[in-house]
Structures are given as structure tokens and as C-alpha cells.
Amino acid sequence: MRLIAPVFATLCLAAVTEAGASSAKPDPKPAPHVQEVTPKLYDYTTQLLFGEVWKRPQLASRDRSLITLSALIANGQSAQLTGHIKLGLDNGLKPSEISALITHLAFYAGWPNAMSAAGVAHQVFTERNIAHDQIVPAITEPLSLDADSEAKRRAAVRSATEEVAPKLGDYTNDVLFADLWRDPSLTARDRSLVTVAALVAQGQTAQLPFHLSRAMDNGLSKTEASEVVTHLAFYVGWPKAMSAVPVFKEVFEFRAKS
């Protein structure tokens, strides 16, 4: 089963062909027509979003790219992906991590969104002449899981699904968590970060407590978590970010007491 993620990435991204295109750092500024049509939006974008938010030290630029890509993929916003995949590479994301991110989000944002993102990633990787072995690295040992926590999670999944959709429970336990989450192409912290960003982007607050707490168990600090929801407000909209705030507050308070 653990071959599913590398195989999926291989099929979606395919072999990268040689190209002589420039790999210059992308300009995050919006196109000139934005300034002509919505000058105030242009100012907010250049002065506030990229001039301030992206430079805040509470979250690394690499992590900001990771959650921005996750939000765009989760919401099917392929038109914005090209620039942000390039920016992500410039901010330190490896091609293999972007490939793994797309594969991971197939499970959390749906196959159509992931397949669309794979096509955009292929174009960027081709333009930058990125070798195939940088996209799909050699298979290594899977990440380990805490046996006690995993047993409790598996039991909870079975209890929730066995009367309604038992096969969904099997896929959740045997593929999603036992295979995908153990793929070392992304660290456990990064997988949690990607998942939390996708859930906020889709307004899936019911799933947030478990995954936010898991993210913090995996190394995400309270300060970083706060900055995630702040950053995402600009990419998923204020209503979704504000709806996530009470969930974040609940998780923070619960962890402070435990």
C-alpha cells in the first residue's frame, strides 16, 4: 500500500522534459491590469500582503508557501498556482515536497483539485528543468507512529464508520494514516500544516480540533498556529479564517490545561 503516494505523484507529474526557460525568482506583484482596475487592491497586495504579512517572522517563508499552496489547491484555484509554486521553490520547498503536498491533498481536497494542481506543477518543473529524481525521490523507510495513539485513532475511526461506511473506515486506517501519513516525502509537521491549511480553506471546522492538536503534537508552535490562520485570511477570506478562530482558541485552551 505504501507505494500509492509515489506512484500517484509519478503518474500525475510524469517525467520532466528538458527546457531552457529561465528560473528567475517570480515577482509577487499582481499584473498591471490589477492596478488599473482596482488600485486599492493593488496597494493592499503590494504593501500589506507581500510588503508586510509575508515578511512577518512568526512563520517562515517556506511554511507560508506551504499553506498558501494548500489553500489554493483545496479551493481549486489553479490560476494562481503557477506563481506560488515558483515562489515556493524560491522559498525553499523541494520539488519532491510539492509533489507530496499535491498527493496528500488528493485525500483532503479531492482528486480533481489534486490532478489540476499536478498539471500546473508539471509545467513549472518543466520550465525550471527540474529532474525527475528531484520530484519523486527514492523510497525510504516510512515514518514511525506512536502505537498507543494510533490504536486509539483506529478504534475511533472504526466506531464512527462501521455502521455507515465500513470501507471508508478501512481506507482511512489502512491507506490514509497507515500509508500516506507515513510517507517521508513530507515531515509529520508539514503534513499536519498542509492538512490544517486545507481544512481552514474549505471551512471544515469540524475536522480542525483533531488535526490542529495533531499539528502541535508534531511540532507546530502556538505562535506559528496563530500565524497560519492570520496568513490564510488573505487567501481563503476573512469569514473562513474568523470561523476557524474559535476552534484554534478551544484547542489552545485545552492543551494549556492538559
Side-chain angles (χ1 to χ4, degrees):
M1 275 294 188
R2 67 177 300 269
L3 290 178
I4 187 170
V7 170
F8 179 74
T10 302
L11 289 174
C12 290
L13 300 179
V16 176
T17 56
E18 293 185 357
S22 169
S23 60
K25 187 171 183 178
D27 185 352
K29 292 182 180 179
H33 72 263
V34 176
Q35 189 172 29
E36 296 173 7
V37 177
T38 53
K40 190 64 176 178
L41 174 60
Y42 183 90
D43 290 343
Y44 282 140
T45 304
T46 56
Q47 298 171 24
L48 177 60
L49 180 55
F50 285 104
E52 180 179 330
V53 175
W54 272 84
K55 295 179 180 179
R56 284 171 54 83
Q58 288 82 356
L59 198 63
S61 295
R62 174 192 175 278
D63 290 344
R64 290 187 187 276
S65 281
L66 199 64
I67 63 174
T68 302
L69 287 172
S70 300
L72 294 175
I73 293 170
N75 285 335
Q77 294 169 323
S78 298
Q80 297 293 315
L81 273 178
T82 299
H84 277 288
I85 290 176
K86 292 179 179 179
L87 186 59
L89 291 167
D90 292 334
N91 283 337
L93 284 177
K94 299 175 183 177
S96 61
E97 291 172 330
I98 294 174
S99 171
L101 179 156
I102 294 170
T103 304
H104 186 93
L105 288 180
F107 289 82
Y108 286 93
W111 249 249
N113 285 338
M115 289 293 191
S116 297
V120 178
H122 178 263
Q123 294 172 357
V124 174
F125 293 165
T126 300
E127 177 185 321
R128 293 206 171 190
N129 199 25
I130 295 172
H132 185 64
D133 61 1
Q134 292 180 268
I135 303 170
V136 185
I139 296 174
T140 56
E141 286 298 311
L143 301 176
S144 60
L145 297 174
D146 179 76
D148 291 338
S149 297
E150 188 62 9
K152 292 177 182 177
R153 187 204 55 72
R154 290 181 69 90
V157 168
R158 281 197 302 271
S159 176
T161 60
E162 61 184 353
E163 293 184 6
V164 178
K167 193 60 182 179
L168 174 59
D170 292 342
Y171 286 141
T172 302
N173 281 331
D174 301 333
V175 181
L176 180 58
F177 283 99
D179 185 26
L180 182 74
W181 273 85
R182 298 186 68 193
D183 185 339
S185 301
L186 282 176
T187 66
R189 176 187 177 276
D190 285 349
R191 288 196 184 276
S192 284
L193 195 56
V194 165
T195 305
V196 168
L199 293 175
V200 174
Q202 297 173 103
Q204 299 283 5
T205 55
Q207 298 294 315
L208 264 178
F210 169 80
H211 280 288
L212 178 58
S213 187
R214 186 184 179 97
M216 298 180 77
D217 287 341
N218 286 335
L220 188 71
S221 70
K222 180 181 176 181
T223 297
E224 290 171 329
S226 297
E227 194 67 15
V228 166
V229 74
T230 302
H231 182 99
L232 287 176
F234 291 84
Y235 287 94
V236 306
W238 249 248
K240 288 179 179 177
M242 292 300 289
S243 294
V245 166
V247 181
F248 277 60
K249 182 175 184 289
E250 178 186 335
V251 171
F252 293 165
E253 290 178 347
F254 177 81
R255 292 179 65 89
K257 294 175 183 178
S258 60

